[in-house]
Amino acid sequence: MKSLDVVVLCKLFILQSENRSWTYSQLSSEVGLSVGETHASVKRLKLSRLFDEHTRTVLPAAMSEFLIHGVKYSFPARTGALERGVPTSHSAPVLNGELVMEEQDVYVWPYAKGKIRGTGIRPLSEHAPEAALKDRKLYDLLALVDAIRIGKARERKLAIQKLNALLEERNGHAEYE
């Protein structure tokens, strides 16, 4: 697997939860990858038993297990210098305000059009910040994954609770904003 597969997995799950059909062209546009990269990513998700090719569905239990227990080992977060970018992890809107953090504890995906300064975290895909800004649901999922990847025990616990709640809510086709 490649780290960008996590972005594709999350987007596929969102499309599935909204009962939206998709094409590789549409999916590639929404995650910022080429059609070829997107097709290869879906093939890797199938091989990893996270996606069922026949029903064209994400397997939510496998997805949850992988995001909570596998991603932080497969794709550990790397912090960098202070940069301008898009808030992620506990600094993103999905977790911001839930934890008391110091101003210097802001994490961002480096992004030239970003408005927040913080410690840079390399995103799972170089196109993730732009894709996340276009889709709040994708942004929330990716930020929670980052909190699991880089957070301390308290941040990870809260991110896991929120991630499970989102996955259960989405799997039941419930709406959330």
Side-chain angles (χ1 to χ4, degrees):
M1 284 190 73
K2 294 184 177 184
S3 62
L4 60 86
D5 298 342
V6 177
V7 177
V8 173
L9 176 68
C10 289
K11 186 62 185 185
L12 284 170
F13 184 77
I14 291 165
L15 292 170
Q16 175 180 317
S17 70
E18 295 173 345
N19 288 322
R20 289 174 46 202
S21 60
W22 54 272
T23 64
Y24 282 101
S25 178
Q26 174 199 4
L27 182 60
S28 69
S29 172
E30 293 192 30
V31 295
L33 302 172
S34 73
V35 174
E37 286 175 309
T38 304
H39 190 269
S41 177
V42 172
K43 280 179 102 172
R44 288 188 295 270
L45 292 171
K46 178 188 162 256
L47 287 171
S48 300
R49 291 185 257 161
L50 293 165
F51 182 78
D52 185 327
E53 178 180 44
H54 302 293
T55 60
R56 288 177 57 109
T57 58
V58 171
L59 305 171
M63 178 182 175
S64 175
E65 182 179 6
F66 177 64
L67 295 180
I68 293 168
H69 301 291
V71 171
K72 69 181 178 179
Y73 298 111
S74 300
F75 312 111
R78 295 187 187 107
T79 58
L82 233 83
E83 302 194 46
R84 180 170 303 287
V86 177
T88 188
S89 185
H90 63 268
S91 305
V94 70
L95 287 174
N96 195 358
E98 302 252 353
L99 300 163
V100 177
M101 293 290 172
E102 298 295 323
E103 194 171 304
Q104 69 269 16
D105 290 336
V106 173
Y107 289 116
V108 299
W109 294 315
Y111 183 63
K113 296 178 185 174
K115 298 180 186 334
I116 305 293
R117 287 186 57 78
T119 302
I121 295 178
R122 184 176 171 176
L124 291 164
S125 163
E126 67 181 272
H127 304 288
E130 194 166 344
L133 289 174
K134 292 178 187 175
D135 181 344
R136 175 63 185 263
K137 296 171 185 177
L138 180 62
Y139 184 15
D140 289 349
L141 284 173
L142 295 177
L144 290 170
V145 169
D146 274 354
I148 294 167
R149 291 171 63 214
I150 200 161
K152 296 178 179 93
R154 189 179 62 184
E155 292 93 10
R156 280 195 317 269
K157 181 179 180 183
L158 180 59
I160 289 167
Q161 289 171 346
K162 285 203 167 248
L163 179 67
N164 278 329
L166 286 178
L167 294 178
E168 287 173 19
E169 197 173 289
R170 301 263 165 154
N171 201 31
H173 307 293
E175 286 293 320
Y176 100 103
E177 290 301 320

